[in-house]
Amino acid sequence: MPAPPRRLITGFSNPTVKFLRSLRDKKHRRREGRFLAEGLRLLTDARESGRVPEMLVMSERRDPHPLTDLLERAVEDAGGTIVETTPDILAKITGKDNPQAIAGVFAEFDTSLAALDRGSAPIWLVAQALRDPGNLGTMLRTGDAVGAGGLILIDDCADPFGVEAVRASMGAVFTQKIAQATWDEFLPWLRSGSGQLVAASLRDAVRYRDAPYTAPCFILVGNESRGLPEEYEAACDLRVTMPMRGRADSLNAAVAGAVLAYEVLATFDK
Amino acid sequence: MPAPPRRLITGFSNPTVKFLRSLRDKKHRRREGRFLAEGLRLLTDARESGRVPEMLVMSERRDPHPLTDLLERAVEDAGGTIVETTPDILAKITGKDNPQAIAGVFAEFDTSLAALDRGSAPIWLVAQALRDPGNLGTMLRTGDAVGAGGLILIDDCADPFGVEAVRASMGAVFTQKIAQATWDEFLPWLRSGSGQLVAASLRDAVRYRDAPYTAPCFILVGNESRGLPEEYEAACDLRVTMPMRGRADSLNAAVAGAVLAYEVLATFDK
């Protein structure tokens, strides 16, 4: 079998370089339906989860690695493109001074509620107007750890396909389902089947420890500054309160979601 | 009583502006022994915790607010300085396009282990080589929530007095004790009194749920990429394991610390 064609790109003004750079911008990601993930570890997580990049971009000065070989083969087998380029151009593409030696372009996934199978997992995470991409990625990572089905993003959240969210997810962006919806789409969808909606709250709440959680349990976390709108809290099946021993009355959103998710997991495991 | 003198600064090249800007840089913070905190909420948290800025910097175009009045009075009573300046200069100082209308300069706190009273709280958080200032601030915030005494930073951690860590702490930088030490300083200090050292671990570990935690409990979290060195884990009194149902074998460092801290708190509250 002949070796598949490879492209070598050495010019900063090459259209492929411009295309790759543009993927750092949400508007362009949306238009192209593509996103960028960097680093051998992340790309290997993707491959092992059955996600193969359409395009693999590698530094011509990379160290050889068996995982890189596996990635190259997977991309070739899937009919994708392999591009080699200079470290300088990779730095320009990723916007980092010390870029990873490898990056991949992926097609964005279907993020409709309709694509979720709620019965496939006992726990789902739901974030409302979560603005920080690091928090979003961390919630994906936590979801992976607790065996959640995925993360549902309500209203105007950070972009799950942005570089920072993808990085913070530590590969969970490839293993967790992701859905995006408005509250007015989410609530009817939730009520069209089984599912308990739970939020941390200071109002009319029971203690979070050993509360009556039932599967599938949807754990709802609110915006970093404003928390959840009151009407969203009111629509929950269960409001739980966590101890707050200090001056503040709230936790970081991703932390609150994680403490609740581990509590729900422990309850289900009993 | 005559109104105290105020300074109005309108020039970008004013030495005070240069001094304030320099506090965004760790090297200059160390040299000056000062750090910057921004925003009325954060400064009010500080004031209510008994921490009054040495210098208050306010936009001349701020909205009047009773909490601002209280801050001004506190700074005046403590013999501090009040500076008014333009929004443009405040933006330059804070490095943000839409700066908060108020900022304060604080003296750094004593961060020696000797300043800690381990008996003053049942829980202490300990981070080793924690590099992300957002994670560091989040751990301070979690510490406040669980009633921890403070955060001990081992080896080469992010700077707790950097703007991002201060911001992520949501004021907890003013309520939690902070200590900085090497492992070789920390371990003898810990063993010189009572204290249980606990880490999440995959090696030789018991289930984290209802493990035999005892106060004062020191919860040790490792570096974001590498986790804890094996010898640090080996020195712990208790190694606990948390369920990992997904592909990954670890959580975000601040999340892992929070899930453990809430578990310890629940155990102590029984």
Side-chain angles (χ1 to χ4, degrees):
Chain A
M1 198 169 108
R6 293 182 174 232
R7 291 168 55 198
L8 176 65
I9 295 180
T10 56
F12 277 93
S13 57
N14 183 290
T16 299
V17 174
K18 287 190 178 161
F19 162 72
L20 292 168
R21 280 197 69 191
S22 78
L23 296 181
R24 284 162 50 198
D25 185 74
K26 179 175 178 176
K27 188 180 65 188
H28 289 103
R29 283 195 296 275
R30 260 332 73 74
R31 199 182 56 204
E32 304 285 350
R34 302 284 181 279
F35 70 100
L36 202 64
E38 302 163 45
L40 185 57
R41 182 171 171 171
L42 206 53
L43 293 182
T44 297
D45 283 342
R47 183 181 56 75
E48 293 179 349
S49 308
R51 306 276 191 182
V52 175
E54 298 179 341
M55 183 188 292
L56 197 61
V57 188
M58 298 188 292
S59 168
E60 56 185 2
R61 266 185 256 153
R62 67 189 181 277
D63 295 324
H65 197 293
L67 289 174
T68 306
D69 298 341
L70 287 174
L71 266 170
E72 290 183 59
R73 201 168 315 148
V75 172
E76 287 165 3
D77 289 349
T81 309
I82 295 180
V83 169
E84 299 199 28
T85 189
T86 66
D88 282 357
I89 288 179
L90 257 177
K92 189 169 179 183
I93 289 169
T94 60
K96 291 200 289 192
D97 288 341
N98 295 302
Q100 305 261 9
I102 190 164
V105 176
F106 293 83
E108 289 189 358
F109 319 139
D110 179 359
T111 61
S112 63
L113 286 171
L116 299 185
D117 173 11
R118 73 179 76 197
S120 65
I123 298 175
W124 296 81
L125 299 181
V126 188
Q128 185 263 336
L130 196 75
R131 300 301 305 156
D132 184 272
N135 279 342
L136 197 159
T138 297
M139 287 192 72
L140 285 168
R141 185 178 180 185
T142 300
D144 176 78
V146 298
L151 175 63
I152 301 170
L153 300 169
I154 303 290
D155 299 341
D156 190 25
C157 288
D159 182 5
F161 301 112
V163 167
E164 202 187 329
V166 169
R167 195 183 297 142
S169 85
M170 296 289 282
V173 71
F174 297 111
T175 57
Q176 291 282 290
K177 295 274 182 197
I178 300 171
Q180 298 180 298
T182 65
W183 178 252
D184 290 338
E185 292 163 346
F186 169 70
L187 201 60
W189 173 82
L190 181 72
R191 297 312 179 199
S192 72
S194 69
Q196 180 191 46
L197 189 59
V198 178
S201 170
L202 301 172
R203 286 184 275 262
D204 178 28
V206 302
R207 286 160 42 105
Y208 88 110
R209 192 89 176 171
D210 299 317
Y213 304 109
T214 57
C217 182
F218 292 77
I219 298 171
L220 176 60
V221 165
N223 172 267
E224 286 93 344
S225 309
R226 297 180 307 275
L228 283 174
E230 201 169 334
E231 62 173 296
Y232 291 25
E233 273 192 29
C236 288
D237 302 299
L238 183 63
R239 284 167 293 279
V240 295
T241 181
M242 295 148 81
M244 293 288 152
R245 296 290 166 84
R247 290 199 63 256
D249 62 359
S250 69
L251 291 165
N252 165 281
V255 163
V259 173
L260 270 186
Y262 265 94
E263 181 61 31
V264 171
L265 181 61
T267 306
F268 289 169
D269 275 356
K270 264 183 187 166
Chain B
M1 199 169 106
R6 292 180 174 234
R7 292 168 56 198
L8 177 64
I9 293 180
T10 56
F12 277 93
S13 58
N14 183 290
T16 300
V17 174
K18 287 190 178 162
F19 162 72
L20 292 168
R21 280 197 70 192
S22 78
L23 296 181
R24 285 162 50 199
D25 185 74
K26 179 175 178 176
K27 187 180 66 188
H28 289 103
R29 283 195 297 275
R30 261 330 76 73
R31 199 181 56 204
E32 303 285 350
R34 303 285 180 279
F35 70 99
L36 202 63
E38 302 162 44
L40 185 55
R41 181 171 171 171
L42 205 53
L43 293 182
T44 296
D45 283 343
R47 183 180 56 75
E48 293 179 348
S49 309
R51 305 276 192 183
V52 175
E54 298 178 344
M55 183 188 290
L56 197 61
V57 188
M58 299 188 293
S59 169
E60 54 185 4
R61 266 185 253 155
R62 67 190 181 275
D63 295 324
H65 197 293
L67 289 174
T68 307
D69 298 343
L70 287 174
L71 265 172
E72 290 185 59
R73 200 168 316 148
V75 171
E76 285 164 5
D77 289 350
T81 309
I82 296 180
V83 169
E84 301 199 26
T85 191
T86 65
D88 282 356
I89 289 180
L90 257 177
K92 191 170 177 181
I93 290 168
T94 60
K96 290 201 289 192
D97 289 340
N98 295 301
Q100 306 260 8
I102 191 165
V105 177
F106 294 83
E108 289 188 355
F109 319 139
D110 179 1
T111 60
S112 63
L113 285 171
L116 299 185
D117 173 10
R118 72 179 76 195
S120 64
I123 298 175
W124 295 82
L125 299 181
V126 188
Q128 184 263 336
L130 196 75
R131 300 300 305 156
D132 183 273
N135 279 341
L136 197 159
T138 297
M139 287 194 71
L140 286 168
R141 185 179 180 184
T142 299
D144 175 79
V146 299
L151 175 63
I152 302 169
L153 300 169
I154 303 291
D155 300 339
D156 189 26
C157 288
D159 183 4
F161 301 112
V163 168
E164 201 187 328
V166 170
R167 194 183 296 142
S169 84
M170 296 291 281
V173 72
F174 296 110
T175 58
Q176 290 283 289
K177 296 274 183 198
I178 300 171
Q180 298 179 299
T182 65
W183 177 253
D184 290 338
E185 293 163 346
F186 169 71
L187 201 60
W189 173 84
L190 180 73
R191 297 310 181 203
S192 72
S194 69
Q196 180 191 46
L197 189 59
V198 177
S201 170
L202 301 171
R203 286 184 276 262
D204 178 28
V206 302
R207 285 160 44 104
Y208 88 110
R209 190 88 176 172
D210 300 315
Y213 304 108
T214 59
C217 182
F218 292 77
I219 298 170
L220 176 60
V221 165
N223 170 267
E224 287 94 342
S225 309
R226 297 179 308 274
L228 284 173
E230 200 169 335
E231 61 173 297
Y232 292 25
E233 273 192 28
C236 288
D237 302 299
L238 183 62
R239 284 167 293 279
V240 296
T241 181
M242 296 150 81
M244 293 287 153
R245 296 290 166 85
R247 288 198 63 255
D249 62 0
S250 69
L251 291 164
N252 165 280
V255 161
V259 173
L260 269 185
Y262 265 94
E263 181 61 31
V264 172
L265 182 60
T267 306
F268 289 169
D269 276 355
K270 265 185 188 161

